[in-house]
Structures are given as C-alpha cells and as structure tokens.
Amino acid sequence: NARRLAERLSQMRGAVMKLGQLLSMDGEGMLPPAFAALLAGLRDQAHTMPVSQLDATLSQAWGADWPQRFRRFSYQPIASASIGQVHRAETHDGRVLALKIQHPGVRQSIGSDVANLAWLARTPGLLPAGLDLTEMLDRVHHQLLRETDYQAEAAATAAYRQALGDDPVLWVPAVHADHCGDAILATDFAPGVPVDRLATAGTPAQRDAVATALVRLAAHELFGMQLVQTDPNFSNYLHDAASGRVALLDFGAAESIAPHRVQQLRCLGRGLRDGDAAQVRMAALALGYVGESEPPAQADGVLAILMAAGEPLRHAGAYDFGASDLFRRMVAQGQTQFFNQGFSRTPPPDLLLLQRKFVGTFLLCARLRARVELAGIFAPHL
C-alpha cells in the first residue's frame, strides 16, 4: 500500500505530492518505518519529465537551439520533486550549474489541488467540530503559487545569500540570472547528498556537526536575519563530505518575519527555557495559540504541548536527540487532546510555516541521532 501511494503521489506532483513529502518526515512513531522510507523518495525522486517534454519546455524558454547554450547538459535529472526537476549543465565559459526546471502545468493545478485538500478536510469526523481551516488553506495556496514563481525565488535566493553572509559550514549557491527564466532557475551546482543520508553513512562527529549547524541556522534565521526558509525538506540541505560544508537550497518558501512576531517568539522561548508557565501562557495568548475565551481544558492542553516542546531548551549540555522520546510523547499528547478536549483553532498561518521549519529541524536532528548544545545556541537570542 505504501509503495502504491508513493508511486501515485510522485506522479501527481504539486500540492498533493507536497503532502506526501510532509508525511515522509515523520521522525519517530508517526508512520511505520517501511512506509516512511518509501514516501521519503518523494523528496527528490519523483517522476521526471520525458525527454521530449523537457526539450519542449526548454525550447519554449530559450528557442529550439537551446542546447548550444551549454558545453554539456545532462538529460538525466539529479533530483525531481513536487514542482520541478534539477539538471546539471556546464556553460562554455566554465560555469557548472544546477538548472531547476518547472514541471509543465504545476502552477495551473495548484488551485484544484488545494480545493481537493479542503474537500478532504471537511470529511465528517476527520477534524474537530468548529475547526476552520479556510485561512490556513488560503495560505498554503498562496505559498505554493509563490514556489512556482522562479523569478521571485531567484530574488529570494540572492537576498538570503546576502543576509546569511560568510559562514564556515553553510553556504547558498549563487544565482546565474543569464540562464534564469519564468520556469527555470539557474544556480551554482552544489555537490553533496541530502543530509539525512548521514543517518546511515555518517560518523557521529559528522552527524553532530551538521545538526548543530542547522539548529544554529534556524535560530539565526528567526532572531537574526528575520528571514526564514520555511520548507524543511531534508533534500534542501546537501552535505559535501569532501569539504564538510552544507549547501542550502530552494528559497521559494523563504518568509520575512515581522519584528513584533520575533519579539513574541522570543518571549515564548524565554518562558519555555525557564519553565515559566505564566510567561508561556502570556506569549501563547499574544501569538494566537490560545484565546481569552477558550475553554480552560483546551487552552491547558495546548500550553502543555508547548511546555513539552521546550524540553531541549531546559536541558543542560548537549541534548541527545537519538535517546529522546520527546517527539513520540508530543504526538501522544496531541492525539489525546484531539480526541478528548479537541482544538478550537489552528495557529495563525505565519506561525504554521515557522513550526514547519522548527519541527523539521528537530526531526532531522532525531533522524541523525545527533547531540546538540541547543540551549547554548539559543541563549544569545533569548
């Protein structure tokens, strides 16, 4: 069943395949391991365009003589995901590029894909009564449309690269505007493999170093840059064993964070770090996780989940993600809340995108069984 589902999702692409990618990032206990392993292929091994369709797409962008633009062009994609596929190319002036080429029709299908997800969400008994996903699905629709705008992604990539600056471990491939177009994004070619493969192929030191760098990045994005790449797809981080560096990819989901949100999240972080339930409640009210008129049982359940999420911030020394059962405990808490008191609201859509980033980083640390001085990384920001 898992194989059939992964196969079908890899053909459908777009919003539906995005859902499958999120399902694959289960961490611990959300899905059977074999099921998660099959869905993991959706992150970079989706169905690819036939060569004839690839040629038609590039001919539309550059004309029928497009092969003359390159000294070499690999027709076999090095990765393929929900919106586009990536090819390696070499220019006549010696540049080695990664060309992300959008699958035809993806942008046009997003509206119907999201409408189908909205229809599924209205299935009786699937969600608590009164829980309205309209605003969240509107945000998903908007976000997916943004991810198909490669001109906007080129600008976002350049802005993020400048904001990150020089880093000893992390780098963003430069954009090559002369080979970009509405359906094509050209950047430096980044060698390496998706970082989650270090779970089986890396040493403990490599796993700890990569996880530490990505936790440091998440904290710096939110509190320093105030510009967050909100797609935690593990294939967006490529580890190069030769240099030890990690390339950061795919900025279609980069989001600027409003200063007042950063301050609210800083207050929440302090409360979680200090185990201060009163401050966590105050911050949760300001953020919209709970409301003033919410039934106490519902609010208390949400606050308990938030307090549990702060466990690594309260831990002295390196937090051992490999030995932790925190994610499993939080899933159990969420399920209990869902089936008993329920949830009266979804978090604001901008916070859902941030949660997607931070939960994804946590899951990656768990996948790598890494030890990370998380409290020390966040301390300067709180």
Side-chain angles (χ1 to χ4, degrees):
N1 286 339
R3 188 174 294 109
R4 283 196 292 268
L5 177 61
E7 176 76 10
R8 180 63 57 85
L9 291 175
S10 73
Q11 295 176 35
M12 294 178 76
R13 302 182 180 136
V16 178
M17 185 174 161
K18 276 282 185 185
L19 178 63
Q21 291 174 349
L22 292 174
L23 284 172
S24 76
M25 295 168 59
D26 63 294
E28 304 174 34
M30 284 290 284
L31 294 171
F35 196 102
L38 285 163
L39 289 180
L42 296 174
R43 297 201 291 269
D44 61 359
Q45 299 168 30
H47 273 240
T48 61
M49 289 185 262
V51 171
S52 59
Q53 188 178 48
L54 174 65
D55 177 69
T57 300
L58 295 179
S59 295
Q60 183 177 4
W62 291 327
D65 62 346
W66 69 264
Q68 297 179 22
R69 298 174 71 94
F70 303 106
R71 179 187 299 165
R72 294 185 182 87
F73 179 89
S74 175
Y75 284 87
Q76 180 66 35
I78 55 178
S80 182
S82 58
I83 291 174
Q85 60 190 52
V86 182
H87 293 257
R88 189 180 189 275
E90 296 179 31
T91 65
H92 293 288
D93 58 7
R95 290 174 287 168
V96 182
L97 305 180
L99 300 176
K100 184 162 73 168
I101 303 166
Q102 192 168 127
H103 296 136
V106 164
R107 184 177 181 85
Q108 291 74 21
S109 72
I110 288 171
S112 60
D113 285 349
V114 173
N116 287 333
L117 292 176
W119 175 82
L120 179 64
R122 290 193 293 270
T123 301
L126 184 63
L127 297 173
L131 189 62
D132 187 359
L133 297 184
T134 302
E135 187 180 5
M136 184 187 76
L137 289 172
D138 285 346
R139 185 61 179 258
V140 169
H141 189 183
H142 172 73
Q143 182 63 50
L144 287 169
L145 286 175
R146 278 188 55 194
E147 291 187 37
T148 62
D149 185 345
Y150 281 6
Q151 297 284 10
E153 184 176 348
T157 303
Y160 188 102
R161 175 181 164 89
Q162 182 175 6
L164 179 65
D166 293 329
D167 188 280
V169 178
L170 308 167
W171 70 285
V172 177
V175 173
H176 294 262
D178 56 330
H179 291 289
C180 289
D182 290 340
I184 301 166
L185 177 64
T187 65
D188 289 334
F189 177 82
V193 298
V195 291
D196 62 321
R197 296 188 191 174
L198 292 176
T200 54
T203 65
Q206 283 178 320
R207 297 197 300 268
D208 290 352
V210 167
T212 296
L214 292 176
V215 170
R216 175 172 57 81
L217 173 67
H220 179 51
E221 283 180 302
L222 176 58
F223 296 110
M225 296 163 56
Q226 298 185 20
L227 177 65
V228 179
Q229 197 276 55
T230 62
D231 186 351
N233 187 335
F234 300 154
S235 295
N236 288 342
Y237 311 117
L238 297 184
H239 177 256
D240 179 23
S243 66
R245 302 191 75 193
V246 177
L248 310 177
L249 310 178
D250 198 343
F251 295 91
E255 289 279 336
S256 295
I257 311 301
H260 79 278
R261 273 290 194 233
V262 174
Q263 187 56 35
Q264 290 168 345
L265 288 163
R266 182 175 283 116
C267 291
L268 177 63
R270 288 172 182 161
L272 295 177
R273 177 197 62 191
D274 300 337
D276 186 336
Q279 182 167 351
V280 169
R281 179 180 290 273
M282 181 177 65
L285 282 166
L287 288 161
Y289 281 119
V290 296
E292 292 281 5
S293 60
E294 202 156 318
Q298 288 185 336
D300 290 345
V302 172
L303 293 171
I305 292 171
L306 286 173
M307 287 295 287
E311 178 179 294
L313 286 175
R314 298 187 292 272
H315 183 83
Y319 188 81
D320 190 342
F321 284 90
S324 172
D325 66 347
L326 175 59
F327 187 69
R328 185 177 291 110
R329 283 186 277 125
M330 291 186 64
V331 169
Q333 280 183 272
Q335 289 174 337
T336 300
Q337 177 83 3
F338 182 92
F339 289 112
N340 293 327
Q341 292 83 15
F343 296 94
S344 63
R345 64 180 64 219
T346 58
D350 63 321
L351 294 181
L352 281 173
L353 291 173
L354 287 176
Q355 285 177 205
R356 183 183 175 201
K357 168 72 173 194
F358 281 89
V359 171
T361 303
F362 180 101
L363 294 178
L364 178 59
C365 291
R367 183 72 57 88
L368 295 179
R369 307 183 305 283
R371 293 171 52 83
V372 180
E373 295 266 1
L374 195 138
I377 290 172
F378 277 85
H381 301 289
L382 300 179

